[in-house]
């Protein structure tokens, strides 16, 4: 007897079914897939029902069925489409790893991560439990918030807070690193400057100051590398934060031993590298800040589009007007738009007239006259006149939502070189760490 608690039932649409023999062959191909317990193909509806274990891989099924000549697809009506806010995304490598972790779940059909918006868009099988996905991503180090919770987060204020924090961290790191860099590298560049420091303050005092400043850099603005890098290292999936944390810590720890316990180090090797640790952290923070500014400009384009949507609309119902949330509008509702108001959603004018500015769509600043029978677009501004229009599209079906979707997808599109960089980075960090340990040994 099948254990129904430990199986997935997956509804599919099957292509290229023209006869009973085709249905039988498609059914046999499905049943032969790993982790499939049973498969039934319906020739009349050209659908299939597959019972499989939780380990069943949808992507492997797609490839195998295409090879068999009977491509399959999940029924769109029974497919989950989710949007998540993703935490701990600090660079392109993080976004790539988060996306890889999402796609690793057998029930996930496709997952894309948008670094600029710090969001993930997931298409998954209907039997995938949201809790399973959130638990998996928490363990992977990139916790996700479901769409309903993500919507409660104010992306603009959150982005501004992150920008201010990065800027403060960078300024603090530069102010602390600059003296360390001048004291150490200035002495190498101008030997007389080094001799003056030692003669005036003493070698131990000079090293003590460098130790104090570098320690503040590492465990102040540089703490973010330890917060993200150490857990990744412990999970056996080291990434760039892990590399920075290890490199900076190694330079700082060795220099600390040379400063406070020099007898433990051979005399020929008693050099300090505090400036290396501080400069590494500061330069990476500079790169993160510049990357954030670039991402911020891209994300601002989407946020500015989203802000075009009004929060409320005037609904006409049973001869009375009342204010409702724009998200509550349904197709067929009658909406009144007054002068100076934004049109809440797409529709067709049924009464009155208005002078509507459609620059967000056409780029033309001159308002357009709208009368009975004309279409209006959500997010455009009514400059004059009063009109009633019937809602024809809501949510993701509106013109504005589709523009936002196209801009978002454009941001997620990767050049071939970006995919190559991600693959190289995935190997680069573990190899560098391994080489370092071998060299040390």
């Amino acid at each position: 007897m099948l254990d129904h608690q430990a199986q997935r039932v997956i509804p599919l649409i099957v292509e290229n079914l023209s006869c009973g023999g085709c249905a039988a062959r498609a059914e046999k191909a499905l049943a032969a897939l790993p982790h499939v317990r049973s498969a039934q193909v319906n020739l009349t509806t050209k659908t299939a029902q597959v019972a499989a274990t939780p380990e069943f891989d949808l992507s492997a099924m797609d490839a195998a069925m295409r090879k068999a000549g009977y491509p399959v697809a999940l029924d769109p009506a029974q497919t989950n489409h989710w949007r998540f806010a993703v935490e701990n995304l600090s660079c392109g490598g993080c976004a790539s790893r988060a996306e890889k972790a999402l796609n690793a779940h057998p029930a996930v059909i496709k997952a894309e991560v948008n670094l600029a918006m710090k969001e993930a868009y997931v298409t998954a099988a209907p039997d995938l439990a949201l809790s399973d996905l959130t638990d998996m991503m928490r363990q992977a180090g990139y916790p996700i918030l479901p769409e309903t919770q993500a919507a409660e987060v104010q992306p603009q204020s959150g982005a501004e807070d992150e920008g201010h924090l990065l800027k403060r961290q960078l300024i603090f790191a530069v102010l602390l690193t600059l003296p360390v860099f001048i004291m150490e590298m200035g002495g190498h560049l101008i030997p007389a400057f080094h001799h003056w420091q030692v003669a005036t303050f003493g070698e131990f005092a000079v090293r003590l100051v460098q130790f104090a400043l570098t320690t503040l850099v590492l465990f102040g603005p540089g703490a973010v590398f330890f917060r993200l890098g150490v857990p990744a290292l412990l999970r056996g999936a080291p990434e760039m934060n892990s590399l920075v944390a290890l490199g900076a810590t190694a330079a700082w720890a060795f220099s600390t031993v040379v400063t406070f316990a020099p007898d433990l180090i051979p005399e020929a090797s008693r050099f300090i590298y505090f400036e290396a640790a501080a400069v590494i952290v500061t330069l990476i923070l500079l790169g993160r800040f510049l990357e954030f500014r670039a991402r911020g400009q891209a994300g601002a384009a989407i946020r500015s589009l989203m802000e075009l949507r009004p929060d409320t609309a005037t609904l006409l119902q049973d001869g009375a007007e009342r204010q409702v949330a724009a998200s509550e509008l349904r197709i067929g509702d009658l909406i009144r738009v007054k002068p100076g108001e934004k049109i809440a959603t797409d529709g067709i004018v049924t009464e009155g007239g208005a002078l509507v500015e459609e620059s967000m769509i056409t780029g033309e600043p001159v308002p357009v006259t709208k009368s009975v029978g004309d279409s209006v677009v959500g997010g455009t501004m009514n400059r004059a006149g009063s009109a009633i229009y019937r809602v024809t599209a809501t949510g993701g079906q509106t013109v504005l939502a589709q523009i936002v979707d196209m801009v978002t997808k454009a941001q997620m599109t990767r050049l071939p070189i970006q995919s190559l960089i991600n693959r190289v980075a995935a190997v680069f960090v573990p190899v560098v760490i391994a080489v370092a340990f071998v060299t040390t040994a």
Side-chain angles (χ1 to χ4, degrees):
M1 180 180 294
L2 288 178
D3 180 7
H4 295 288
Q5 298 297 323
Q7 76 173 16
R8 304 165 55 196
V9 178
I10 306 168
L12 301 170
I13 296 174
V14 187
E15 299 180 15
N16 299 341
L17 294 183
S18 57
C19 62
C22 296
R25 285 188 291 273
E27 188 172 291
K28 182 178 180 180
L30 284 170
L33 293 173
H35 306 295
V36 170
R37 290 180 167 179
S38 66
Q40 293 180 336
V41 175
N42 188 319
L43 176 61
T44 304
T45 60
K46 295 188 177 181
T47 60
Q49 292 283 336
V50 174
T53 63
E55 295 79 17
F56 181 62
D57 192 341
L58 285 168
S59 59
M61 174 193 69
D62 181 67
M65 292 306 293
R66 286 184 182 279
K67 185 177 180 180
Y70 302 99
V72 295
L74 288 172
D75 187 346
Q78 301 186 58
T79 303
N80 288 322
H81 298 275
W82 289 320
R83 177 174 67 90
F84 301 103
V86 187
E87 299 180 6
N88 296 342
L89 294 184
S90 58
C91 62
C94 297
S96 178
R97 280 183 291 275
E99 186 173 296
K100 184 177 180 180
L102 284 168
N103 281 305
H105 197 289
V108 171
I109 303 166
K110 184 180 181 181
E112 294 178 311
V113 174
N114 187 328
L115 178 60
M117 298 299 291
K118 294 195 172 181
E119 290 182 344
Y121 306 89
V122 178
T123 302
D127 60 328
L128 174 60
L130 186 58
S131 58
D132 292 343
L133 199 60
T134 54
D135 290 343
M136 182 190 74
M137 292 305 292
R138 188 179 300 110
Q139 294 175 6
Y142 302 99
I144 56 177
L145 291 174
E147 183 174 5
T148 53
Q149 296 177 328
E152 298 173 1
V153 179
Q154 298 299 323
Q156 187 169 4
S157 60
E160 290 176 354
D161 291 342
E162 182 184 1
H164 292 320
L165 176 61
L166 279 171
K167 187 175 182 179
R168 287 197 303 269
Q169 289 177 334
L170 178 60
I171 292 174
F172 187 41
V174 169
L175 292 176
L176 293 174
T177 300
L178 197 57
V180 177
F181 183 80
I182 293 174
M183 292 172 69
E184 185 63 24
M185 301 310 295
H188 287 288
L189 184 64
I190 307 174
F193 178 64
H194 170 73
H195 297 318
W196 174 80
Q197 291 183 83
V198 173
T200 304
F201 305 104
E203 187 173 26
F204 178 76
V206 171
R207 291 183 173 182
L208 186 62
V209 170
Q210 293 187 37
F211 163 78
L213 294 176
T214 303
T215 302
L216 289 175
V217 171
L218 261 61
F219 301 103
V224 63
F225 300 111
F226 296 92
R227 181 175 62 84
L228 299 176
V230 172
L233 192 63
L234 296 177
R235 290 194 302 269
E239 33 95 90
M240 196 56 67
N241 290 303
S242 307
L243 195 61
V244 174
L246 281 175
T249 300
W252 173 84
F254 181 83
S255 302
T256 300
V257 172
V258 171
T259 300
F260 295 100
D263 293 340
L264 298 177
I265 305 297
E267 186 174 357
S269 302
R270 293 174 188 173
F271 301 102
I272 59 173
Y273 302 96
F274 287 123
E275 89 290 345
V279 168
I280 287 173
V281 170
T282 302
L283 287 179
I284 299 297
L285 286 174
L286 174 61
R288 294 276 170 89
F289 178 70
L290 295 176
E291 182 182 25
F292 170 82
R293 289 186 60 183
R295 285 193 286 110
Q297 292 173 356
I302 295 178
R303 287 193 294 270
S304 62
L305 286 172
M306 295 173 65
E307 288 170 357
L308 293 174
R309 297 179 296 191
D311 296 326
T312 60
T314 304
L315 176 66
L316 295 179
Q317 197 170 48
D318 299 327
E321 298 182 3
R322 64 186 180 94
Q323 290 290 315
V324 298
S327 58
E328 297 178 5
L329 296 179
R330 298 293 180 264
I331 294 176
D333 287 346
L334 291 176
I335 309 298
R336 180 183 293 280
V337 58
K338 302 174 183 178
E341 290 183 345
K342 286 183 178 180
I343 294 173
T345 188
D346 298 357
I348 295 178
V349 177
T350 60
E351 185 180 330
L355 201 60
V356 180
E357 181 186 322
E358 297 182 319
S359 57
M360 59 158 277
I361 301 296
T362 64
E364 176 58 57
V366 178
V368 178
T369 300
K370 297 291 183 178
S371 55
V372 176
D374 292 336
S375 62
V376 291
V377 178
T380 55
M381 175 68 73
N382 177 23
R383 292 300 181 186
S386 177
I388 297 175
Y389 65 93
R390 186 181 301 277
V391 176
T392 57
T394 60
Q397 301 303 314
T398 63
V399 172
L400 180 59
Q402 292 177 25
I403 292 174
V404 171
D405 183 60
M406 286 189 292
V407 174
T408 302
K409 288 181 177 177
Q411 286 186 335
M412 291 189 296
T413 302
R414 292 193 182 94
L415 295 173
I417 188 64
Q418 290 177 291
S419 299
L420 176 61
I421 290 171
N422 290 336
R423 290 197 297 271
V424 171
V427 178
F428 173 75
V429 175
V431 167
V432 169
I433 293 174
V435 170
F437 275 113
V438 170
T439 303
T440 304

